[in-house]
Amino acid sequence: MRTVVNHYVADNSTVNICALDISKAFDRIDHFALLQQLMDRNIPRMAIGVLLDWLQKSFVCVRWGRALSFWYRITAGVRQGGILSPVLFAIYMDTLIARLTSLGLGCRIFDSYYGCLLYADDILLLSHSVNAMRLMLAICEQFASEFDLKFNSSKSVAMRIGVRYKAQCAPLSLCGGQLKFVSELKYLGVYLVAAKCFKISVNQLKVKFFRVFNCIYARSKAVNSEMVTVELLKAYCLPFLLYGLESVSPSKSQLRSLNNCINRAVYKVFDVNDAVCVNDLGDLRCFVGLHDVEELVERRRLKFVDRLISSSISLDLFLANGL
């Protein structure tokens, strides 16, 4: 997404973004529509038969305290938390991407379509014009009607990134409700900000970091070992502070702000309040293995890119991003 936004913003275009929410997404999948899509993909008949038999024998009951209701068969949906469920849901939603791609609606890079990004039930629509976005939302409505899904317009939001991100535009509607234009949007745990270029917000990362750190520190200070607290800090707190930063390229000021969070945690662990000790904080952090945030992010970035290159992901995005 960052690559697509930067590609269009570099040409003084404004990218329109819609984050769509599906009510009870995994629970509303129509079994027969799913099996039909599997047949269209030439899945072996025996495999489809096994899946059909498994779906028809899915029975559940409701437990209230020690009491159990009668058993009833599930007629729709796939099990949340199941290993196969995300794959089946992706196949179910692939029809929507195919329709958007065939009509050429949405953003493109190197003749590749990136107008609709999905990760499980988190859907993101990207378009360079409001009119194209309106047509994309209409296709989403038609798809939801045909495949028995329900988009929640009250939880779905819209945002703009580019030179005209503050400009007023015609409202966007989905399933009878208008989408709210927001200044901050959450997607896959990353908070995107409406601005002239791609930006993120790290405030939530800092809040989560201090929340976890204070909880750990309150329980570990009784051990009277600073190194125990530091190791717990590295194992449980840093992942919250560094979440997603390897793919969104935070600014220098944001990196300094995040680095200051670690400094404040170290101050508290080692009870540092003397000016001389503060000046030697860098050596102390290096000694205990708490490196600078910029270095930590770069290490995560290298691992992230290495995993993507070793997978079946196309290299077009890497070439477009100058990696």
Side-chain angles (χ1 to χ4, degrees), residues 23-52:
S23 301
K24 305 292 183 182
F26 280 69
D27 298 331
R28 298 180 66 94
I29 292 181
D30 184 272
H31 290 168
F32 295 102
L34 174 62
L35 295 174
Q36 180 62 52
Q37 294 191 54
L38 293 175
M39 288 188 287
D40 294 340
R41 290 172 172 266
N42 297 321
I43 302 298
R45 182 177 178 274
M46 184 177 297
I48 296 178
V50 171
L51 183 60
L52 174 61

Side-chain angles (χ1 to χ4, degrees), residues 129-285:
S129 70
V130 177
N131 185 54
M133 180 61 71
R134 188 175 293 106
L135 296 176
M136 295 172 71
L137 292 174
I139 294 175
C140 291
E141 287 187 19
Q142 183 182 6
F143 171 80
S145 176
E146 294 179 9
F147 287 83
D148 197 24
L149 294 176
K150 183 180 179 181
F151 286 101
N152 191 341
S153 58
S154 61
K155 292 185 178 180
S156 300
V157 295
M159 189 178 72
R160 310 184 77 196
I161 299 178
V163 293
R164 302 183 69 251
Y165 77 99
K166 288 185 177 180
Q168 293 289 337
C169 59
L172 299 173
S173 61
L174 177 67
C175 296
Q178 286 191 4
L179 300 187
K180 181 181 178 181
F181 278 88
V182 296
S183 59
E184 193 170 287
L185 181 153
K186 180 183 178 182
Y187 183 67
L188 300 181
V190 178
Y191 287 82
L192 311 175
V193 179
K196 292 184 178 180
C197 59
F198 185 90
K199 289 184 178 180
I200 63 167
S201 173
V202 297
N203 295 329
Q204 294 296 326
L205 299 179
K206 295 189 291 185
V207 169
K208 293 179 180 179
F209 172 81
F210 284 119
R211 183 184 300 151
V212 177
F213 170 74
N214 290 331
C215 181
I216 290 177
Y217 179 74
R219 295 177 178 270
S220 64
K221 64 180 180 180
V223 182
N224 293 325
S225 174
E226 291 83 358
M227 294 308 300
V228 171
T229 306
V230 169
E231 291 301 320
L232 292 173
L233 168 65
K234 291 191 289 186
Y236 294 99
C237 302
L238 284 185
F240 286 95
L241 192 67
L242 304 177
Y243 177 79
L245 297 182
E246 64 271 19
S247 61
V248 294
S249 295
S251 64
K252 294 290 185 180
S253 61
Q254 289 175 331
L255 291 175
R256 288 194 297 268
S257 176
L258 295 175
N259 199 57
N260 187 53
C261 293
I262 301 180
N263 290 342
R264 293 176 62 183
V266 173
Y267 293 159
K268 196 169 185 178
V269 171
F270 292 95
D271 194 19
V272 175
N273 50 28
D274 185 77
V276 177
C277 296
V278 173
N279 293 332
D280 296 333
L281 183 62
D283 296 334
L284 176 60
R285 284 183 52 176

Side-chain angles (χ1 to χ4, degrees), residues 103-143:
L103 295 177
L105 299 174
C107 296
R108 308 181 70 93
I109 295 182
F110 295 149
D111 295 329
S112 296
Y113 183 76
Y114 298 105
C116 182
L117 307 178
L118 277 83
Y119 186 87
D121 58 340
D122 292 314
I123 305 175
L124 212 63
L125 300 181
L126 305 175
S127 173
H128 62 284
S129 70
V130 177
N131 185 54
M133 180 61 71
R134 188 175 293 106
L135 296 176
M136 295 172 71
L137 292 174
I139 294 175
C140 291
E141 287 187 19
Q142 183 182 6
F143 171 80

